[in-house]
Amino acid sequence: MLIQTSSSGFVHPHSSEITPQALYLRRRAYLQAMAGAGLLAAAGGTWAREAEVLKPLASTKSAVPGAMTMETATSREDATSYNNYYEFGTDKSDPARYAHTLPTTPWSITVEGLAHKPKVFGLEDLLKLSAQEERIYRLRCVEGWSMVIPWIGYSLAKLLAQVEPMGSAKFVEFVTLADPKTMPGIRSSVLDWPYTEGLRMDEAMHPLTLLAFGMYGSELPKQNGAPVRLVVPWKYGFKSAKSIVKIRLLDKEPPTAWNKAARNEYGFYSNVNPDVPHPRWSQETERRIGEGGLFAKKRKTLLFNGYEAQVGQLYAGMDLRKNY
Ligand SMILES: Nc1nc2c(c(=O)[nH]1)N[C@H]1C(S)=C(S)[C@@H](COP(=O)(O)O)O[C@H]1N2
Ligand SMILES: [Mo]
């Protein structure tokens, strides 16, 4: 993996530079935000018990190889105002403007299909399921821009283990909220709603695949997919489904919202790959959001978005031009 260091414009401190005081304040802000959103009330109990739900946030070291980067983080302002969330409109500024109507409490994720113990997980169950940690991942959109975001969450594998997938489960489908009352974008037929995504079982179980509840030390803003989304850092951004309500374990590859919309442009795998162009444009370079200005240099896009050492073996022997 390529680790790039930058001394200028450093926005988010590397974990070793975070003081206990800064950590404490961030964790406190996170707890207060969760309380404000009604999440801690749902978890029930006293402040002590509430703190316990989110305790692991005090740790900023990830045990998952590749889950941290020393690259300069995108500013929170940019990461929360330049978004793709088509349920709230197709303009980059639409989600920040309109997603405030998204109802995030109560919330649950139904995990069903080829599982020995299918289950409905309330948001508070999800939060308590595993230690949460901060991970700083690159997010690369198929449109050619990228960001570096400090996410909070834990490996999706922890949730999947709870339902005991059957041996016949080879794929995982993610279904997201489609609520015509609060999502103006789903009146448009730009996509087939609900927005769905899919991963192969081994991709879903890979420790880098993150079930995210927060970013920048507090809960997920609605435009970023509150209250729970996926982050798959070696794939184009659209694989990272927002506001997930259902997860299905399947024996066949599921269709996804984007490959239903344009099969030749958005394949099932959608691995970040500079050598496989989108049919209408190159994928060789990217524009890092925040590195503005007319003369900002484009960056070279990396195979698997720079996570080749961690995920390359998942695709050994596969023709990535055919399986795009
Ligand atoms: N439900 C849903 N999830 C979604 C999208 C969407 O339109 N709807 N857009 C995807 C795309 S194309 C990208 S690039 C990322 C953007 O995430 P961000 O806005 O948090 O940067 O979310 C993905 N998840
Ligand atoms: Mo995207």
Side-chain angles (χ1 to χ4, degrees):
M1 187 187 80
L2 185 106
I3 292 180
Q4 223 149 6
T5 45
S6 164
S7 50
S8 61
F10 201 84
V11 179
H12 189 83
H14 183 241
S15 33
S16 64
E17 296 168 23
I18 300 173
T19 63
Q21 171 68 1
L23 260 183
Y24 172 79
L25 290 173
R26 275 172 42 182
R27 178 163 160 249
R28 208 177 151 77
Y30 183 66
L31 288 170
Q32 279 164 353
M34 290 302 228
L39 295 184
L40 294 178
T46 63
W47 182 260
R49 268 188 62 199
E50 291 155 2
E52 208 167 287
V53 173
L54 297 157
K55 182 171 58 189
L57 268 186
S59 155
T60 58
K61 281 221 174 69
S62 175
V64 177
M68 296 304 255
T69 172
M70 286 165 72
E71 286 183 85
T72 304
T74 302
S75 75
R76 188 183 193 282
E77 173 60 25
D78 282 337
T80 58
S81 59
Y82 188 91
N83 300 105
N84 273 340
Y85 196 163
Y86 276 23
E87 288 83 338
F88 294 100
T90 55
D91 204 90
K92 294 284 174 283
S93 58
D94 284 340
R97 201 175 302 158
Y98 301 118
H100 61 90
T101 57
L102 176 73
T104 54
T105 48
W107 194 274
S108 62
I109 296 183
T110 303
V111 189
E112 60 179 35
L114 300 170
H116 293 292
K117 294 185 173 165
K119 192 180 160 181
V120 180
F121 294 85
L123 186 57
E124 59 279 13
D125 305 328
L126 291 169
L127 284 166
K128 275 189 278 194
L129 206 64
S130 172
Q132 295 177 58
E133 52 179 58
E134 184 174 69
R135 300 189 183 177
I136 307 180
Y137 282 155
R138 286 175 288 277
L139 183 112
R140 166 63 157 84
C141 180
V142 70
E143 295 161 348
W145 49 267
S146 63
M147 302 193 197
V148 176
I149 298 180
W151 302 101
I152 296 165
Y154 53 78
S155 296
L156 173 70
K158 305 262 186 190
L159 171 61
L160 295 180
Q162 294 285 313
V163 300
E164 296 178 17
M166 295 176 182
S168 52
K170 303 292 183 213
F171 293 91
V172 186
E173 181 185 38
F174 303 88
V175 183
T176 71
L177 185 69
D179 176 19
K181 291 194 295 293
T182 55
M183 296 172 145
I186 71 176
R187 284 195 294 262
S188 145
S189 56
V190 59
L191 290 174
D192 188 11
W193 313 107
Y195 187 109
T196 63
E197 258 311 333
L199 294 173
R200 214 170 55 190
M201 193 67 184
D202 56 348
E203 298 174 325
M205 293 300 284
H206 192 283
L208 282 181
T209 299
L210 185 73
L211 198 61
F213 301 91
M215 58 197 273
Y216 298 91
S218 52
E219 90 278 29
L220 277 178
K222 293 187 174 183
Q223 61 267 36
N224 294 90
V228 51
R229 69 174 285 173
L230 205 60
V231 184
V232 192
W234 70 94
K235 293 178 179 278
Y236 290 115
F238 61 87
K239 300 302 283 187
S240 295
K242 295 176 171 181
S243 309
I244 296 167
V245 294
K246 192 175 287 190
I247 296 176
R248 285 197 194 107
L249 301 178
L250 306 169
D251 57 357
K252 287 191 191 65
E253 183 184 295
T256 72
W258 282 102
N259 65 32
K260 278 193 272 181
R263 173 158 281 284
N264 67 320
E265 297 189 22
Y266 310 106
F268 179 79
Y269 286 93
S270 303
N271 291 319
V272 174
N273 190 336
D275 301 327
V276 179
H278 181 277
R280 290 184 280 139
W281 58 78
S282 159
Q283 293 289 14
E284 284 173 26
T285 61
E286 65 200 60
R287 180 173 62 91
R288 182 62 53 81
I289 298 297
E291 291 178 346
L294 238 52
F295 305 106
K297 242 186 36 229
K298 288 221 179 157
R299 289 164 177 264
K300 269 194 182 330
T301 288
L302 303 172
L303 180 60
F304 301 120
N305 207 16
Y307 299 95
E308 184 181 5
Q310 288 78 28
V311 303
Q313 74 281 3
L314 294 176
Y315 309 102
M318 271 177 73
D319 181 346
L320 297 177
R321 287 181 180 273
K322 281 205 188 102
N323 298 286
Y324 56 92

